């Protein structure tokens, strides 16, 4: 093995994500539901594989109300959830994501804190066991442009 090949292997090992290595994407194409639907922002858009943050390209969910909102993806059986990755809207209203809470079943994983310019938010769920993931926004509209849940049986 040459020195260059060794350097490439070391860099790959140092930058790999151990959470993703022992889990797989479990949310894609699953059944979803949300508290309300506004502006044709159907809940299924949250797991359609399209991470485009421009709402008008039909890739984001949207609640009708600006209070007590939730979005949920169902797995059909229990999984150990490692993390939940949320893709935020980019064409406007990015700060609406602030304060959004993530749950596996009834177990709280964490809260998204809005950061200007940030599009992707990752919440560690520490292999919480549950049959669904719920994302709650109590004080604003809820718009999700993709939700990727990683876990294993």
């Amino acid at each position: 093995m040459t020195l260059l090949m060794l350097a490439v292997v070391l860099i790959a090992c140092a930058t790999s994500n151990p959470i993703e290595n022992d889990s797989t994407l479990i949310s894609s194409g699953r059944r979803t539901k949300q508290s309300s639907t506004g502006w044709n922002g159907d809940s299924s858009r949250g797991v359609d594989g399209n991470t485009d943050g421009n709402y008008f390209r039909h890739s984001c969910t949207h609640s009708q109300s600006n209070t007590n909102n939730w979005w949920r993806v169902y797995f059909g059986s229990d999984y150990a959830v490692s993390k939940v990755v949320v893709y935020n809207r980019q064409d406007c209203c990015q700060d609406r994501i602030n304060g959004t809470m993530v749950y596996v079943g009834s177990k709280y994983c964490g809260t998204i804190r809005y950061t200007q310019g940030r599009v992707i938010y990752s919440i560690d769920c520490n292999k919480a066991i549950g049959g669904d993931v719920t994302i709650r926004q109590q004080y604003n509209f809820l718009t999700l442009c993709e939700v990727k849940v990683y876990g294993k049986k």
Side-chain angles (χ1 to χ4, degrees):
M1 180 179 288
T2 69
L3 188 56
L4 178 59
M5 290 170 57
L6 179 59
V8 170
V9 169
L10 289 174
I11 290 169
C13 289
T15 59
S16 67
N17 185 339
I19 291 175
E20 288 186 18
N21 287 342
D22 73 348
S23 61
T24 59
L25 179 64
I26 59 173
S27 54
S28 184
R30 298 282 188 164
R31 186 171 65 91
T32 59
K33 192 172 182 179
Q34 61 191 10
S35 54
S36 63
T37 301
W39 299 270
N40 298 311
D42 189 72
S43 67
S44 64
R45 291 180 178 181
V47 293
D48 64 1
N50 185 349
T51 61
D52 189 337
N54 184 325
Y55 183 79
F56 298 100
R57 292 188 189 131
H58 311 289
S59 68
C60 305
T61 70
H62 202 302
S63 64
Q64 176 68 44
S65 171
N66 64 352
T67 58
N68 300 316
N69 293 298
W70 56 266
W71 176 93
R72 184 172 296 137
V73 59
Y74 300 93
F75 306 129
S77 61
D78 283 348
Y79 282 81
V81 175
S82 301
K83 71 176 178 176
V84 177
V85 179
V86 176
Y87 289 74
N88 195 18
R89 183 173 179 172
Q90 297 174 52
D91 60 326
C92 92
C93 324
Q94 295 90 342
D95 61 337
R96 289 180 182 170
I97 198 80
N98 191 53
T100 299
M101 298 171 286
V102 177
Y103 296 84
V104 174
S106 61
K107 183 184 183 305
Y108 170 76
C109 294
T111 299
I112 294 173
R113 299 291 177 214
Y114 170 70
T115 303
Q116 187 173 0
R118 190 171 183 183
V119 175
I120 303 168
Y121 295 86
S122 183
I123 301 293
D124 187 0
C125 289
N126 295 311
K127 299 183 180 172
I129 306 295
D132 61 68
V133 163
T134 301
I135 298 177
R136 296 184 184 279
Q137 174 49 283
Q138 297 297 326
Y139 306 109
N140 215 327
F141 290 99
L142 181 60
T143 303
L144 306 168
C145 294
E146 190 69 17
V147 178
K148 294 185 177 187
V149 180
Y150 293 90
K152 66 179 182 177
K153 277 288 214 188

